[in-house]
Amino acid sequence: MKLGSIPQLKYTTNDNFFLLAGPCAIEGEDMALRIAEKVVAITHKLEIPYIFKGSFKKANRSRVDSFTGIGDEKALRILRKVSETFEVPTVTDIHEISDAHMAAEYVDVLQIPAFLVRQTDLVVAAAKTGKVVNLKKGQFMSPESMQHAVKKVTDSGNEQVMLTDRGTMFGYQDMIVDFRGIPTMKQYAPVVLDVTHSLQQPNQSSGVTGGRPDMIETIARAGIATGVDGLFLETHFDPANAKSDGANMLHLDHLEKLLTNLVLLRKTVNTLK
C-alpha cells in the first residue's frame, strides 16, 4: 500500500518523503502556531507533504511531577486550529480507549505509542474511528511482529495504517535503530522513521530522559537511504525549555537545512531504483 492510497491525508505524488513534525507536547496556542507556521513554510518550499504533530497529553512520564499537558480539550482545540489555519493534517497520540473517540473529533491521525502498541483494545478503538492509525513499534518488539498490529487495524475495517520505528532498547539507557527493519515493515504498511525518539537516552537516574540531538541528521540520512516513506521528528524553537523531551529535539532553526539535505538525498536514492 502506498501512502497516496490514504485519501484523508492527500499526499502528493512527487516521490518525496513525508514529514510528521512538531513539538513533543502542546504547551499553548502561540507556541503551536509559531512552530507550525515555520514548518509549513519550509515543507511547502521543499514540496514535502506535512503532518503537524503534537501530543494533547503526555501519559507516559518518568516522574509524577513531570509535565502532562494543559488540559485535554484545550490542547485538542489547538491542534484543530493549527489544521484549519495552515490547512495541514494533524497527528496526536492516544493512551486510553476513551481517548480514541475524543481525539478523532479534532485530528486526522491517531498515534499509538510504542509502549501501548500491543494493547489490542486501544488499537481497535483507534481503527474504528476511521482515522488514519500510526502504530509506533515497541522498543521491545521485532519488525516482523508489527504485522500483527497492522492486522488488528485492517481486521477492524480500516486500511489507513502506517508504522513508525522509534528505535530498539540497547541496554538500559540507550536506543539503536536496526535499519533492517525498514524494508521488513514496508511489507506490511508505509513506514516512518522517528528520528528524535530513536536518539533518546531513557532511564536516567534524574528521572528526565536524555538524548543525542547531534546525531539527528545521521539517523535521518540513514532512514532516507534505506527507503523510509516518511520521517517523524520533534522540533521546538527553545528545546532547552520545552516541557517534554527537550533533550532529543531538533532546534527549529536547524530544520530547513536538514530537510534540504534530506530532499537532495531522496532524489539521489530515487535514481537508484
Side-chain angles (χ1 to χ4, degrees):
M1 179 177 61
K2 293 186 180 296
L3 261 297
S5 68
I6 299 182
Q8 287 190 27
L9 298 184
K10 301 177 183 177
Y11 287 107
T12 62
T13 56
N14 61 1
D15 292 325
N16 209 349
F17 60 89
F18 62 96
L19 179 69
L20 292 81
C24 179
I26 299 298
E27 302 169 11
E29 183 176 305
D30 289 345
M31 67 83 67
L33 292 172
R34 178 178 172 185
I35 292 171
E37 182 177 28
K38 182 72 175 285
V39 184
V40 166
I42 294 169
T43 53
H44 179 74
K45 176 182 177 182
L46 298 174
E47 298 184 318
I48 300 172
Y50 175 50
I51 306 168
F52 178 84
K53 182 270 168 184
S55 297
F56 76 92
K57 69 177 175 182
K58 301 298 297 181
N60 174 28
R61 312 300 292 143
S62 297
R63 302 187 325 208
V64 72
D65 60 346
S66 297
F67 174 80
T68 58
I70 59 174
D72 294 355
E73 292 206 26
K74 182 178 180 180
L76 287 168
R77 285 195 296 270
I78 291 171
L79 283 163
R80 176 187 281 167
K81 184 166 184 177
V82 168
S83 181
E84 293 174 347
T85 301
F86 299 105
E87 298 183 334
V88 294
T90 55
V91 56
T92 198
D93 29 13
I94 62 172
H95 306 86
E96 302 177 25
I97 294 170
S98 59
D99 289 346
H101 178 73
M102 176 176 63
E105 297 293 318
Y106 296 90
V107 303
D108 304 279
V109 184
L110 298 179
Q111 182 167 281
I112 307 298
F115 282 127
L116 299 176
V117 75
R118 284 179 57 93
Q119 299 299 311
T120 300
D121 289 349
L122 180 63
V123 172
V124 170
K128 287 186 175 180
T129 65
K131 296 291 183 175
V132 180
V133 180
N134 183 23
L135 301 167
K136 300 195 82 172
K137 185 182 81 65
Q139 301 93 317
F140 45 88
M141 293 177 68
S142 69
E144 292 81 3
S145 66
M146 290 304 294
Q147 65 184 298
H148 305 298
V150 170
K151 197 168 187 300
K152 290 176 184 179
V153 177
T154 57
D155 282 355
S156 300
N158 189 343
E159 296 292 325
Q160 301 190 116
V161 57
M162 52 186 170
L163 293 171
T164 294
D165 194 326
R166 51 95 70 237
T168 300
M169 288 302 301
F170 187 67
Y172 288 117
Q173 295 179 318
D174 208 356
M175 309 289 296
I176 191 168
V177 179
D178 180 356
F179 289 97
R180 298 173 298 177
I182 303 301
T184 297
M185 291 193 294
K186 284 185 69 170
Q187 299 175 72
Y188 318 133
V191 175
V192 178
L193 176 60
D194 181 342
V195 178
T196 49
H197 284 108
S198 295
L199 293 167
Q200 281 185 330
Q201 294 179 318
N203 300 319
Q204 301 296 314
S205 59
S206 65
V208 178
T209 297
R212 290 289 307 275
D214 57 302
M215 298 295 290
I216 286 173
E217 183 153 356
T218 298
I219 297 298
R221 285 188 179 207
I224 295 297
T226 48
V228 295
D229 299 290
L231 293 176
F232 176 113
L233 60 86
E234 291 181 339
T235 184
H236 198 287
F237 47 78
D238 187 11
N241 290 302
K243 295 183 181 297
S244 179
D245 276 4
N248 52 271
M249 277 191 195
L250 178 72
H251 196 293
L252 193 58
D253 288 347
H254 302 320
L255 182 64
E256 184 167 1
K257 183 177 186 298
L258 171 67
L259 292 179
T260 299
N261 290 342
L262 295 176
V263 167
L264 291 173
L265 180 59
R266 179 58 171 249
K267 288 178 179 178
T268 301
V269 170
N270 287 344
T271 67
L272 302 176
K273 292 181 179 178

